[in-house]
């Protein structure tokens, strides 16, 4: 009895240990069989090194202890392309870096067709960036950034499709020429700005001179119109004054004749004779005498005696009836000239003056075209 008890007491710890080991093995087995995949990824399953399938997001059961999974992020991923040095087509050294945005479209191809798709895409982007920059001139590398991005993406599309990767976008961040080239570009930019400033200054001085000349021209025209009008009025005044003086002299001579006639009549009246011989012009003489006494027109028998007004022939000779017409023509011409001058002044302000002042930007563009044409001609002669 004692030996049996001893044997039973020795087996109890062994069974307990076996049961514990079995429990641990069961837990490990269950843990190895269950594969939890996140919603943002897929996993490639291999059993004994053989590809079986892709595990979808969620809980997946896999063969325990003999299975391996390889994780693939299905979201858009960012790859930094290190700074690359390249020589442009016109032999100018430049450096550039870029960012590539990729997305895994087929995790099976990304697992079976390429060892490390991220490193593969990064290396391919580096070589493509150098090649694209080498096929372009320096000015194009600095100005046509979108064209560089498009070319790199086109070059990456074909090989990455075989890897199950899609290149969504390529962005070149910086393209920097060498320091010597940068200094030369700064000097060129400074010279270009100085040239533009000189052209604009010359255009401004020319425009100012033209406007000053136009203003002086307008002033001279207006002054000449005023002098012309003044001379015409002065000449008309002199003519009227001359005629008035002639009329006055004629009137004074006629008055002397009348006075002499009246004195004769008075001496006849003082004579002893009662018979008088009256001259035929007595009526006219008396009327003219009365006119000189009153200084105004006197009507006799319905007839109007001559007044001091100018007759029609004298008025036509002096042009008295045409004074208003002449002055009206002068004013009309002056108004037309002033209106025309105002139009010319407005045209000058708008840059449409007869001096043909041109836009400085157009002048600069034509100078650039001429300069480029001369460079091409020199290049062709050098090649020959």
């Amino acid at each position: 009895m004692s030996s049996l008890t001893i044997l039973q007491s020795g087996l109890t710890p062994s069974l307990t240990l076996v049961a514990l080991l079995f429990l641990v093995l069961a837990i490990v087995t269950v843990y190895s069989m269950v594969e939890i995949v996140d919603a943002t990824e897929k996993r490639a399953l291999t059993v004994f090194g053989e590809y079986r399938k892709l595990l979808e997001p969620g809980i997946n059961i896999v063969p325990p202890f003999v299975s391996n999974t390889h994780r693939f992020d299905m979201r858009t991923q960012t790859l930094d392309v290190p700074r690359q040095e390249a020589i442009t087509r016109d032999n100018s050294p430049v450096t550039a870096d870029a960012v590539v945005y990729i997305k895994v479209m087929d995790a099976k191809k990304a697992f079976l067709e390429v060892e490390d798709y991220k490193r593969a895409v990064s290396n391919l982007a580096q070589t493509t960036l150098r090649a694209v920059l080498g096929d372009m001139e320096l000015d194009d590398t600095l100005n046509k950034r979108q064209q560089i991005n498009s070319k790199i993406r086109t070059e990456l599309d074909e090989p990455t499709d075989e890897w199950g990767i899609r290149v969504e976008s390529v962005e070149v961040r910086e393209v920097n020429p060498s320091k010597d080239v940068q200094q030369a570009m700064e000097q060129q930019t400074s010279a270009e700005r100085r040239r533009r400033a000189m052209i604009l200054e010359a255009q401004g001085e020319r425009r100012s001179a033209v406007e000053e000349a136009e203003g002086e021209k307008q002033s001279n025209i207006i002054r000449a119109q005023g002098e012309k009008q003044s001379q015409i009025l002065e000449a008309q005044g002199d003519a009227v004054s001359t005629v008035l003086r002639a009329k006055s002299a004629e009137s004074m001579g006629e008055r002397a004749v009348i006075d002499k006639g009246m004195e004769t009549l008075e001496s006849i009246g003082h004579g002893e004779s009662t018979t008088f011989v009256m001259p035929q012009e007595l009526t006219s003489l008396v009327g003219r005498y009365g006119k000189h006494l009153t200084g105004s027109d006197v009507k006799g028998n319905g007839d109007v005696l001559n007044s001091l007004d100018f007759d029609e022939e004298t008025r036509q000779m002096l042009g008295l009836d045409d004074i208003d017409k002449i002055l009206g023509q002068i004013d009309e011409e002056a108004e037309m000239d002033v209106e025309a001058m105002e139009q010319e002044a407005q045209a000058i302000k708008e840059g449409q003056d007869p001096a043909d002042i041109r836009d400085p930007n157009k002048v600069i563009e034509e100078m650039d075209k001429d300069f480029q044409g001369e460079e091409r001609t020199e290049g062709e002669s050098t090649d020959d």
Side-chain angles (χ1 to χ4, degrees):
M1 292 296 294
S2 61
S3 60
L4 182 59
T5 302
I6 294 172
L7 180 61
Q8 290 177 352
S9 62
L11 290 175
T12 300
S14 298
L15 291 175
T16 302
L17 181 60
V18 170
L20 183 61
L21 291 175
F22 182 78
L23 179 61
V24 171
L25 180 61
I27 293 173
V28 172
T29 301
V30 172
Y31 180 80
S32 178
M33 291 177 61
V34 176
E35 190 76 23
I36 300 176
V37 181
D38 291 338
T40 60
E41 63 182 24
K42 289 184 180 181
R43 297 186 183 182
L45 173 64
T46 59
V47 179
F48 293 107
E50 181 183 0
Y51 173 80
R52 291 294 180 87
K53 64 178 181 177
L54 290 176
L55 301 181
E56 299 295 333
I59 298 177
N60 296 271
I61 305 300
V62 299
F65 307 117
V66 294
S67 301
N68 288 320
T69 57
H70 303 271
R71 176 179 174 273
F72 292 92
D73 194 336
M74 304 304 292
R75 295 172 295 181
T76 299
Q77 303 174 54
T78 304
L79 299 180
D80 287 331
V81 180
R83 185 172 294 275
Q84 302 297 309
E85 295 183 357
I87 303 297
T88 61
R89 189 166 58 185
D90 52 354
N91 298 323
S92 296
V94 295
T95 59
D97 61 348
V99 178
V100 181
Y101 299 91
I102 63 173
K103 187 174 184 179
V104 178
M105 304 303 296
D106 190 341
K108 179 179 179 181
K109 286 185 178 181
F111 175 67
L112 297 177
E113 300 295 337
V114 63
E115 179 182 0
D116 185 351
Y117 69 90
K118 290 185 178 180
R119 186 176 64 182
V121 173
S122 178
N123 291 336
L124 183 60
Q126 294 176 31
T127 57
T128 304
L129 176 60
R130 290 196 297 268
V132 170
L133 293 177
D135 290 338
M136 302 177 68
E137 295 184 355
L138 177 62
D139 293 339
D140 293 337
T141 60
L142 299 176
N143 300 327
K144 300 180 179 179
R145 190 69 57 84
Q146 191 63 33
Q147 184 177 347
I148 298 175
N149 297 338
S150 179
K151 285 185 177 180
I152 296 176
R153 181 179 178 182
T154 302
E155 293 294 331
L156 294 178
D157 276 341
E158 184 175 354
T160 55
D161 284 343
E162 298 179 358
W163 303 337
I165 308 298
R166 183 179 71 186
V167 178
E168 294 188 339
S169 178
V170 177
E171 295 294 335
V172 176
R173 288 187 293 195
E174 291 184 356
V175 178
N176 297 321
S178 63
K179 293 183 179 179
D180 295 338
V181 176
Q182 289 181 2
Q183 293 177 356
M185 293 174 63
E186 290 176 358
Q187 293 176 358
Q188 181 181 2
T189 302
S190 178
E192 181 69 18
R193 289 178 179 174
R194 287 197 299 270
R195 185 181 71 167
R196 288 177 180 270
M198 292 174 64
I199 291 176
L200 290 175
E201 184 178 359
Q203 291 285 337
E205 292 179 355
R206 182 182 178 187
R207 186 182 297 274
S208 176
V210 171
E211 291 182 355
E212 184 178 357
E214 288 295 330
E216 186 175 357
K217 174 184 174 182
Q218 295 173 10
S219 177
N220 292 334
I221 291 174
I222 294 174
R223 190 182 302 112
Q225 292 290 345
E227 292 177 357
K228 178 181 176 181
Q229 185 173 354
S230 176
Q231 291 174 1
I232 292 176
L233 293 176
E234 185 178 357
Q236 293 288 343
D238 291 342
V240 172
S241 177
T242 301
V243 173
L244 289 176
R245 286 195 297 270
K247 286 285 186 179
S248 176
E250 179 183 358
S251 177
M252 291 177 65
E254 187 174 323
R255 184 182 182 89
V257 172
I258 294 173
D259 291 341
K260 188 65 175 176
M262 294 303 297
E263 291 177 357
T264 302
L265 289 176
E266 183 180 0
S267 62
I268 293 173
H270 290 166
E272 297 179 356
S273 177
T274 57
T275 302
F276 302 97
V277 179
M278 301 299 296
Q280 186 177 0
E281 292 84 2
L282 179 61
T283 304
S284 176
L285 183 62
V286 174
R288 289 160 67 183
Y289 182 74
K291 175 181 175 183
H292 282 281
L293 292 177
T294 60
S296 61
D297 293 341
V298 179
K299 290 185 179 180
N301 299 326
D303 295 331
V304 180
L305 298 179
N306 294 331
S307 66
L308 293 178
D309 293 336
F310 301 128
D311 55 14
E312 183 177 357
E313 181 179 358
T314 303
R315 296 183 65 87
Q316 290 180 356
M317 179 184 67
L318 296 178
L320 297 178
D321 296 333
D322 297 333
I323 292 178
D324 295 337
K325 182 178 180 181
I326 294 172
L327 295 179
Q329 291 178 353
I330 293 174
D331 294 336
E332 183 178 358
E333 292 177 0
E335 291 177 359
M336 293 177 61
D337 291 338
V338 171
E339 183 178 358
M341 289 186 290
E342 291 178 352
Q343 293 177 356
E344 291 179 2
Q346 185 65 25
I348 292 173
K349 293 181 180 179
E350 297 176 356
Q352 301 175 356
D353 54 299
D356 192 18
I357 297 178
R358 305 174 60 190
D359 185 27
N361 293 328
K362 294 183 179 179
V363 175
I364 293 172
E365 290 179 1
E366 292 181 0
M367 294 174 64
D368 292 337
K369 290 181 181 179
D370 296 338
F371 181 72
Q372 293 176 0
E374 292 176 0
E375 286 186 344
R376 293 195 186 96
T377 305
E378 292 177 358
E380 291 177 359
S381 60
T382 304
D383 295 337
D384 294 341

